[in-house]
């Protein structure tokens, strides 16, 4: 009975420890509708349209334009950026490309996905995808690892034929993330996420004394308003703490069980005391 109770307790603790990891392995759920989703795109990093993860942004533009969006990504997330370009009925062969940059405007490499595709003359649309590396809570200054903060998506056509310059196109962009969890945890964290200023406002509104511009009014930077739904993580907690604690409890239970199995029942009654 004692062994049965010990194994039952160990199984229960293992199930409780595995629950958070199972939850982290599923893709993050976005909003059920697209209410309030952006319907336009920026034309530069500073005018990039802010996009929440789990929502689909749409925009109309012209072939040859640069279309920009920005989204937040936190430590432990593996973002996936997907884009669809809707082409007119008549067009030449076009090559479209999607690039992702971090808050320092460093281009981030895609682990996999069709980052560049060529649409044939009879294609009505072209689909692109980029799966980034897992966002790390901390990295060496010389490394190009993705860090928590704002990320930029740039969609454009490359090597565009002159005949297609200015042709109207439509674009759809969506960003989703998979929570990797403690498997990507590191011993360190950023003091602040990489969220650069995206606009300028008066010093009276921002509370910042950044000097005066040409017309004599104080100006200050406005930070991006988009952040993860639960806020930026502190960087020290991960499900590795759960697994470590559960492993310690299981090791203690295993030691108790082993001792109970090997200690025996004491001195046999048939053995004389003096022996």
């Amino acid at each position: 009975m004692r062994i049965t109770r010990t194994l039952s307790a160990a199984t229960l603790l293992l199930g409780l420890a595995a629950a958070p990891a199972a939850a982290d392995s599923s893709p993050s759920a976005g909003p059920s509708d697209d209410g309030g989703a952006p319907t336009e795109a920026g034309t530069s990093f500073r005018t990039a349209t802010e996009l929440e993860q789990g929502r689909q942004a749409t925009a109309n533009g012209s072939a040859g334009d640069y279309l920009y969006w920005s989204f937040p990504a936190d430590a432990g997330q593996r973002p996936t950026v997907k884009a669809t370009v809707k082409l007119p009925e008549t067009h030449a062969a076009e090559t479209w490309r999607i690039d992702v940059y971090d808050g320092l405007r460093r281009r981030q490499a895609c682990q996999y996905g069709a980052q560049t595709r060529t649409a044939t003359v009879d294609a009505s649309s072209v689909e692109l995808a980029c799966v980034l590396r897992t966002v790390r809570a901390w990295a060496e200054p010389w490394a190009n690892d993705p860090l928590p903060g704002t990320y930029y998506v740039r969609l454009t056509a490359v090597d565009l034929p002159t005949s297609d310059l200015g042709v109207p196109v439509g674009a759809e962009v969506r960003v989703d993330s998979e929570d990797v969890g403690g498997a990507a945890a590191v011993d360190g964290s950023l003091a602040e996420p990489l969220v650069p200023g995206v606009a300028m406002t008066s010093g009276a509104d921002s509370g910042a004394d950044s000097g005066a511009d040409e017309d004599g009014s104080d100006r200050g930077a406005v930070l991006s308003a988009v952040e993860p739904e639960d806020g930026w993580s502190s960087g020290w907690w991960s499900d590795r703490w759960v697994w470590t604690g559960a492993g310690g409890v299981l090791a203690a239970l295993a030691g108790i069980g082993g001792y109970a199995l090997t200690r025996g029942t004491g001195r046999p009654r048939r053995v004389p005391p003096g022996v």
Side-chain angles (χ1 to χ4, degrees):
M1 291 296 294
R2 181 180 301 174
I3 297 175
T4 302
R5 289 195 299 268
T6 301
L7 293 177
S8 299
T11 303
L12 177 61
L13 290 173
L14 184 59
L16 293 175
D24 287 341
S25 62
S26 59
S28 58
S32 57
D33 57 13
D34 288 335
T39 57
E40 59 182 11
T43 57
S44 66
F45 286 102
R46 291 187 60 83
T47 61
T49 299
E50 295 178 341
L51 173 64
E52 295 181 8
Q53 291 192 26
R55 293 186 181 272
Q56 179 172 286
T58 58
N60 293 322
S62 302
D65 292 344
Y66 286 93
L67 304 179
Y68 287 83
W69 294 266
S70 65
F71 67 92
D74 205 357
Q77 293 183 340
R78 182 181 296 158
T80 298
V81 182
K82 295 182 179 180
T84 301
V85 181
K86 298 181 179 179
L87 304 172
E89 295 182 359
T90 304
H91 62 84
E94 299 178 0
T95 301
W96 286 82
R97 181 181 180 88
I98 188 172
D99 294 296
V100 182
Y101 298 82
D102 64 8
L104 298 179
R105 301 184 185 179
R106 303 176 302 180
R107 182 176 175 274
Q108 293 295 317
C110 300
Q111 278 189 313
Y112 50 89
Q115 186 179 5
T116 302
R117 271 188 173 177
T118 300
T120 59
V121 293
D122 57 347
S124 60
S125 64
V126 58
E127 296 183 354
L128 307 169
C130 175
V131 180
L132 296 177
R133 295 173 294 168
T134 303
V135 178
R136 295 166 53 89
W138 177 85
E140 295 288 348
W142 47 262
N144 195 34
D145 295 325
L147 297 171
T150 299
Y151 282 77
Y152 297 94
V153 179
R154 185 177 72 182
L155 177 64
T156 188
V158 295
D159 298 330
L160 190 67
T162 305
S163 59
D164 278 6
L165 284 173
V167 171
V169 295
E172 297 178 353
V173 173
R174 182 182 177 92
V175 180
D176 293 287
S177 287
E178 177 183 355
D179 289 327
V180 178
V186 294
D187 296 330
S189 63
L190 291 181
E192 294 291 342
L194 301 179
V195 183
V198 296
M200 300 298 290
T201 186
S202 64
D205 293 337
S206 63
D209 184 12
S210 56
D213 58 7
E214 295 180 357
D215 59 4
S217 60
D218 292 337
R219 305 286 285 180
V222 177
L223 296 183
S224 174
V226 173
E227 65 179 23
E229 182 178 355
D230 298 328
W232 299 104
S233 63
S234 60
W236 65 272
W237 169 258
S238 71
D239 56 9
R240 294 169 69 179
W241 290 92
V242 178
W243 285 104
T244 301
V249 173
L250 291 178
L253 293 176
I256 296 174
Y259 173 74
L261 291 174
T262 58
R263 68 174 182 173
T265 57
R267 176 187 290 273
R269 295 182 178 179
R270 64 180 180 274
V271 178
V275 177

